[in-house]
Amino acid sequence: MRQIIAVVRPHLAERVLETLKRAPLEALTVSEVKGYGRQKSYLDEYQETEFSEAFLPKVEITMWVDDSRYEETLEKVVAAARSGRIGDGKVFTLPVEVFQ
């Protein structure tokens, strides 16, 4: 089993979740988070919000998927979350052991 963690822009989160409705997931969680990456120098674009010169709002979507469907699910997440601009987010994957 694999864990996929996608940290995406809030306005793209709904698109990612809509894509995942048809994905063969074992489980899924969604959290509102704040952070920044390489786009630090672009924070001036957010001057009129409370996040000016601080952390930017993101949505963290964590899902667990069977190894056989992992690549297919990962491709769907990346395609739904990518806008091509700096700050789109990150996707991390981890192997998971299930204890019963």
Side-chain angles (χ1 to χ4, degrees):
M1 183 168 293
R2 301 285 297 196
Q3 179 181 21
I4 301 172
I5 304 167
V7 181
V8 300
R9 292 176 185 253
H11 69 277
L12 295 175
E14 285 299 321
R15 185 164 61 179
V16 173
L17 292 171
E18 186 65 33
T19 300
L20 292 174
K21 282 184 180 178
R22 296 177 293 283
L25 302 175
E26 297 296 322
L28 177 129
T29 64
V30 178
S31 303
E32 291 182 11
V33 295
K34 295 179 184 178
Y36 64 85
R38 283 186 254 162
Q39 85 279 8
K40 285 185 237 182
S41 62
Y42 294 90
L43 289 176
D44 290 340
E45 294 177 16
Y46 300 95
Q47 275 184 11
E48 297 176 15
T49 69
E50 62 187 90
F51 302 105
S52 174
E53 299 181 33
F55 297 107
L56 298 176
K58 300 284 183 178
V59 175
E60 181 179 294
I61 303 168
T62 304
M63 63 213 85
W64 293 266
V65 63
D66 189 69
D67 286 331
S68 63
R69 306 301 296 266
Y70 155 72
E71 287 187 30
E72 169 191 346
T73 304
L74 183 61
E75 288 172 5
K76 287 181 180 182
V77 169
V78 170
R82 180 170 284 158
S83 72
R85 297 180 59 211
I86 289 179
D88 274 350
K90 299 283 185 215
V91 178
F92 305 95
T93 65
L94 302 164
V96 176
E97 288 187 44
V98 179
F99 297 98
Q100 297 188 20

